Amino acid sequence: MMGPGALVLLSPLVVGFIFGPRAVCGLLAGSIVSGVQIAVSMSNSGGAWDNAKKFIEAGKLSYNGVAQLKGSEAHKAAVVGDTVGDPLKDTSGPSINILIKLMAITSLVFGGAFVQTGGLLLPFIGVSK
């Protein structure tokens, strides 16, 4: 978990000090848009996999007129889906929201320093501050 944590905390710092505050704004905008999409997708797909097992266990799934109950191949597959779905819905999806907040808070805390440095590489690539 050190790698993902470092990526979330250091990416705004690296982008801010090297490319300036405008680049951090772009980084945060992209992080928010993609992070919200991933969080919603993980939560919804995890819930769907979790509910598929419940649907089969309730005897509501039939294939060629035969009800698929506990012990069937469909139920075995649903148990595997439930094993994957529970962490997605309960932990992975909501944790993406925390990552977005950490990136935003890190950028906010160091915002003044980003403005002071103005981006170290901007003069070299021909962009005025």
Side-chain angles (χ1 to χ4, degrees), residues 14 30 36 65 73 97 99 109 125-128:
V14 169
V36 167
E73 289 298 317
N97 298 325
L99 295 179
V109 168
I125 59 175
V127 177
S128 64

Side-chain angles (χ1 to χ4, degrees), residues 10-46:
L10 295 178
S11 58
L13 296 176
V14 169
V15 170
F17 285 122
I18 293 177
F19 297 109
R22 290 183 183 178
V24 174
C25 292
L27 175 74
L28 289 178
S31 300
I32 290 169
V33 169
S34 61
V36 167
Q37 185 273 328
I38 288 172
V40 169
S41 177
M42 286 177 153
S43 296
N44 286 339
S45 61

Side-chain angles (χ1 to χ4, degrees), residues 49 53 74-86:
W49 279 344
K53 186 182 91 163
H75 184 261
K76 290 176 187 175
V79 169
V80 172
D82 183 49
T83 304
V84 174
D86 276 339

Side-chain angles (χ1 to χ4, degrees), residues 54-119:
K54 294 174 186 171
F55 186 78
I56 292 170
E57 288 174 349
K60 295 181 181 179
L61 179 69
S62 63
Y63 181 71
N64 290 335
V66 177
Q68 303 293 310
L69 301 171
K70 283 187 177 182
S72 67
E73 289 298 317
H75 184 261
K76 290 176 187 175
V79 169
V80 172
D82 183 49
T83 304
V84 174
D86 276 339
L88 277 179
K89 130 181 108 95
D90 296 333
T91 59
S92 298
S95 70
I96 300 294
N97 298 325
I98 301 210
L99 295 179
I100 294 169
K101 288 178 188 177
L102 280 173
M103 289 182 80
I105 292 298
T106 303
S107 301
L108 183 64
V109 168
F110 288 95
F114 298 156
V115 171
Q116 275 185 334
T117 60

